Amino acid sequence: MDQPIWLTFLVAFIFMNVLLIGMAYMTWYERKVLAAMQDRVGPNRTGPKGLLQPIADGIKLLGKEDLIPANADKVVFYFAPLVVFVVAITRVAVIPFGNITISIFGQTINLWITDLNVGALFLLAFGSLGVYGIILGGYASANRYSLLGGLRSAAQVVSYEIILGLSLVGIFLLSSSLSIRTIMEQQTRDLIFALGPLTLTLPNWFILSQPLAFVIFFLAAVAETNRAPFDLPEAETELVSGFHTEYSAFRFSFYFLGEYINMIIVSLFAAVLFLGGTDGPGADRFWGIGILWLLFKVIVFLFFYIWLRGTLPRFRYDQLMGIAWKVLLPLVLVNVLITALIRLIGNGQLRF
Amino acid sequence: MAWNLLFFYLLGGISLLAAIGMVVAKNPVHSAIFLVLTLFNTAGIFVMLGAEFLAAAQVIVYAGAVLVLMLFFLMLIDPQNLPERGGGHPVQRIIGPLLGVILLLEVAAAIANRAVSGTTGNATPENIAFVGGSTQAFGNLIFTQYLFTFEVVSLVLLIGVVGAIVLALPERLGERLSTISLGHPRGTDAALPEGTGAAVPVTRADRQATAALEATREVILVRDPDAYTEVKSR
C-alpha cells in the first residue's frame, strides 16, 4: 500500500497531464460528434481527421492579447479563472484508476493518488468551490452581463449541489462507505436476483440498484458543470457570453479548461460510483483492461453530454430552478428514504 | 515530521493572515474571499489532524454559505458608495472593539486553562482505525451518544427553513399569479388602457378592457409565463 512520496507525486503528475490531454481531445470529440449530429464534417484541416486542431487552438489562445477592462477589480480578475482551473484539476486526486497496485521497474505503484476516507465528499466539496471562480469572474469584470451570469451560476450551483449530494446518499447507504475505492470494490461483486426458478446474476453496479439516483445524478451533474441545456450562466442569446464576456486569451482558456476538466471529472465520478469503475469482462486479468473499461464508460458518458447539447434547447431560468426544487429534490428524497428502508430490512433491523 | 510542521505553519499562517485580511479589507467581496480562504485553510488543518469528514463538511457547508453571503453583497451593496473606515454610529464604534477584546480574553482564558494533564478521551488513533476511520467514529458518536443534541440542532435548522419560507411567502397566494400578455405583438399594446402591461393580475376588469379588442383580433390572457408559449387559436 505504502509507496514513497516521490512516486505519489509522479502518479499525480501523470494523472494531471493525462487529464489535460484528455480535455484537449474532449473538444475535438465534441466538435466531431456535434458535426455528425448536424450533418457536417467538423474539424478536418489540421492534421489527419483534424486531430491536431486542439493543439492549434491552444497555441492560438495563448498568442492572443490579454485584455483587462478599465473598471475591473484587477486582482480578483486575475485569479478568478485560476480558481476554476485549479479546483477542477485537484478533484482527480481521489479518483482511482484501478483497485490494485501494479509493479513496474521493481516499484509497487498505486493506481490512485490518495485513498481519502471521504473521497466522494471531497469531490462534492471541490465542485462547490469551483463556482467561486465563476461568480468572482463575473463580479470582477465590472460588466452587467458578466455579473448576471455569475449570479445565475451561483444560484444554480447552490441548488443543484444539494441534489447531486443527495443522489449519492443511496450509494453511501448501500456500500456503508464514503471512500471511492471501497465503493468501486463493492461493485465487482455479483448481484443475484432470484425470482422463483429464475436466477439472474448481474454485476453489482450501483446503476442497477440505484437507477433513479443515476438519472438525477446525471441531470444535476449537467447543471453543476454549466453545460447545455443548463448553461444559463453563459447564455449567448441573453448575456453575450455570461461570466466570461470580458475574458480573453489564456484567462478565457482557463475557464474553458476548467469547464471541460469538470465534465471529464464528473464522468469519471459517475463511472466509478455508478457504472462499476474498472469492472468489466477481463478486467480482473490485467489492470490495463480495467483502465480501458473505465475510459470506455467515460467516453459513453461524455457522449451523453454532447448529445444533450446537440438536441435540447436551453431551459428558461425559472424552469431550471423549478425542476431542481419541485421535481428533483422530492424524487431524490424519496429515493433516499426507500433505500434506507430496504437497507434496514436487509440488515434484519426492521421486521413486519 | 518536519514536513507536517511546515504544512501546519503554512496552513495556519495563511488562515490567520486571511482572517486579518477579512476584517481589514474595505470591499465586502474581498472580505468574503478572505473568509473562504480562512475556512479552507482551517479545513486543511482538520485533514492534517485526521478529521477528514469534518474538513469536507466544513468546505461544503461554508463554501455554500459564504457564496450566499457574497450574493447579498453583490445584490444589496453599491460598490461605488461604500461607508468610510471609522464611520458608523458612535455606539457601534465603542461596542465593536469591546466585544472583540472580550472574545480575545475568552479565547486566551480557554487556552491558558487548557487541561494539558487531563485524561484523553477514547478517540485514540487505534480506536478510530478499529471502527474503520474518522467518519465512522464520528457517525457512531453522533447517532448514539449525541443523538438528542443532533436532533435538536436539526429541529433548529428546520425552524430556520420554515421561517425563511414564511418570510418569502406573498401575503395572499391567490393573487400573485399575474403575468398578462396581450395580442399577437406579445407584451403591452398602446391601444390598451394604461396599466394592462406585464405583471398585472388577470382580473375581470382586464377581461372587460380587452373585450373590445377581441372583436378585432386575437387577444391572449395568460396567468403565468408557461401558458404564454402555447398560442391556441380559438
Side-chain angles (χ1 to χ4, degrees), chain A residues 47-61:
Chain A
K49 303 254 173 212
L51 271 172
L52 294 177
Q53 188 68 46
I55 296 162
D57 282 346
I59 294 170
K60 180 198 76 178
L61 273 174

Side-chain angles (χ1 to χ4, degrees), chain A residues 73 76 116-118 121-122 124-126 128-129 131-132 135-136 139 147 151 154 158 161 176 178 316 319, chain B residues 27 29-30 33 36 40 52-53 56 59-60 62-63 66-67 70-71 74-75 132-136 225-226:
Chain A
D73 189 336
V76 182
L116 209 57
N117 194 9
V118 287
L121 286 187
F122 176 89
L124 291 176
F126 272 70
S128 62
L129 279 180
V131 69
Y132 276 97
I135 187 166
L136 287 178
Y139 151 76
L147 184 60
L151 291 178
V158 165
E161 184 178 274
S176 349
L178 289 171
R316 212 175 51 218
Q319 290 172 330
Chain B
N27 188 331
V29 175
H30 293 175
I33 298 170
V36 174
F40 189 74
E52 291 100 352
F53 180 80
V59 172
I60 291 178
Y62 285 114
V66 176
L67 198 64
M70 209 184 279
L71 286 186
L74 292 179
M75 292 166 91
S134 70
T135 315
Q136 282 83 347
D226 283 313

